[in-house]
Amino acid sequence: MPTDMLGREYQTFPAPMPLQQHGPAKVIAMCNQKGGVGKTTSSINIAGALTQYGRKVLIVDFDPQGAATVGLGINANAVENTVYTALFNPRMDVHEVIQHTDYDGLDVMPANIDLSAAEVQLVTEVAREQVLASVLRQVKNEYDVIIIDCQPSLGLLTVNALTAADGVIIPVAAEFFALRGVALLMQSIEKVQMRINPSLEVYGVLVTMYTRTLHCDEVLQRIYEAFHDNVFHSVISRSIKLPDANVAAAPITIYAPNHKTAKEYREVARELVAKGVVA
């Protein structure tokens, strides 16, 4: 039986069969208040891997920087409607916001700098924590997975994402400083569980930007000590191919399907299916 980088034995997750029908979607928040840990990269590439296994995926770009939008080849400044307009226009048909990408089964709800104003505007909204959930409710039955790419903060936008989500994936870079903020994030998740969304789960901690160094191995061990079997078996290696794929506006699973990092993201997708997180 193979072992992962932490020495845990596990059976290799099989490639899932394509689905014959789609929906209702599992909503996954890709969340960490620290920036630069691979949230957007992981959102795009897990989505890309899942579509290759016949799943229909929607990425909700919930970061005013709009990196997920750009990373899928959409010019958010050129589209008429974004996730921001969907949040504050309850009569809007969400289908008018969703953009189809060049990749079968992969759509995106774009964001741009307008979303930075949402934090202040949400304060005066009725049921302000549940605005995104009401938006996604319109399309949940059309997708197998909805991935919310959160901004690096613990403000109202992130609380909206956690309220709308069935579960959370926490990307953590394999470096010491990335560990420090995870405790704060877990406190926020627990508050949302207790007060708003009791069914919210932590689907796993995904270690990113790993290189074979003593420092990375020590961080990996600390992450395991904190989260035990909630750490994904697959660890995402640091690779120049990832920014190359971002420039090409393609998931690495499509841009360089035989690359080591593409295989790692496909393994994460298979693990999500094998564990029943994704149908």
Side-chain angles (χ1 to χ4, degrees):
M1 188 176 290
T3 58
D4 64 15
M5 299 189 77
L6 286 161
R8 296 175 295 174
E9 289 188 351
Y10 75 106
Q11 292 182 338
T12 302
F13 303 108
M17 297 295 291
L19 296 176
Q20 300 305 311
Q21 57 185 26
H22 301 289
K26 276 289 181 72
V27 182
I28 300 172
M30 195 71 65
C31 194
N32 191 328
Q33 82 274 19
K34 188 179 187 307
V37 296
K39 289 187 296 293
T40 301
T41 298
S42 294
S43 296
I44 290 171
N45 291 308
I46 291 172
L50 286 168
T51 59
Q52 290 186 315
Y53 293 129
R55 272 64 186 166
K56 197 174 178 189
V57 185
L58 171 67
I59 292 180
V60 179
D61 192 346
F62 220 44
D63 184 345
Q65 296 179 66
T69 303
V70 175
L72 288 168
I74 306 295
N75 181 357
N77 295 316
V79 297
E80 188 175 346
N81 297 309
T82 66
V83 67
Y84 172 78
T85 48
L87 289 174
F88 297 104
N89 184 352
R91 294 184 180 85
M92 169 168 278
D93 182 352
V94 177
H95 297 89
E96 295 179 25
V97 179
I98 292 170
Q99 297 285 318
H100 302 297
T101 70
D102 292 335
Y103 313 106
D104 287 342
L106 181 54
D107 295 342
V108 63
M109 195 178 291
N112 58 25
I113 196 64
D114 292 347
L115 189 60
S116 59
E119 200 89 38
V120 175
Q121 288 180 252
L122 281 169
V123 172
T124 59
E125 287 288 316
V126 175
R128 60 189 182 185
E129 298 91 353
Q130 299 174 6
V131 178
L132 179 62
S134 66
V135 170
L136 298 184
R137 206 172 292 130
Q138 298 180 46
V139 293
K140 276 187 80 169
N141 289 330
E142 299 171 27
Y143 294 93
D144 301 306
V145 188
I146 297 174
I147 298 176
I148 307 170
D149 181 32
C150 298
Q151 67 171 350
S153 84
L154 293 177
L156 260 178
L157 286 178
T158 299
V159 171
N160 259 265
L162 295 175
T163 303
D166 297 299
V168 187
I169 293 176
I170 306 171
V172 179
E175 53 188 47
F176 175 72
F177 288 117
L179 277 173
R180 300 178 66 192
V182 178
L184 279 175
L185 174 60
M186 292 305 298
Q187 288 174 14
S188 296
I189 290 170
E190 287 167 11
K191 285 178 182 177
V192 171
Q193 287 170 326
M194 287 188 290
R195 299 173 184 174
I196 308 171
N197 185 3
S199 61
L200 182 67
E201 299 178 48
V202 176
Y203 289 148
V205 174
L206 178 63
V207 180
T208 62
M209 303 181 186
Y210 175 84
T211 52
R212 286 193 173 277
T213 63
L214 185 60
H215 175 75
C216 284
D217 287 338
E218 287 177 356
V219 171
L220 194 59
Q221 196 60 45
R222 286 198 187 190
I223 292 170
Y224 178 68
E225 287 167 4
F227 295 99
H228 304 291
D229 288 330
N230 237 2
V231 181
F232 280 92
H233 285 284
S234 186
V235 172
I236 308 301
S237 303
R238 188 184 293 273
S239 169
I240 190 62
K241 277 291 181 189
L242 284 171
D244 286 350
N246 291 339
V247 171
I252 194 170
T253 51
I254 295 169
Y255 177 76
N258 296 319
H259 192 268
K260 177 185 178 185
T261 311
K263 294 174 183 176
E264 291 164 352
Y265 274 116
R266 281 198 295 271
E267 183 76 359
V268 174
R270 290 200 300 268
E271 185 168 351
L272 287 170
V273 176
K275 288 182 174 179
V277 171
V278 176

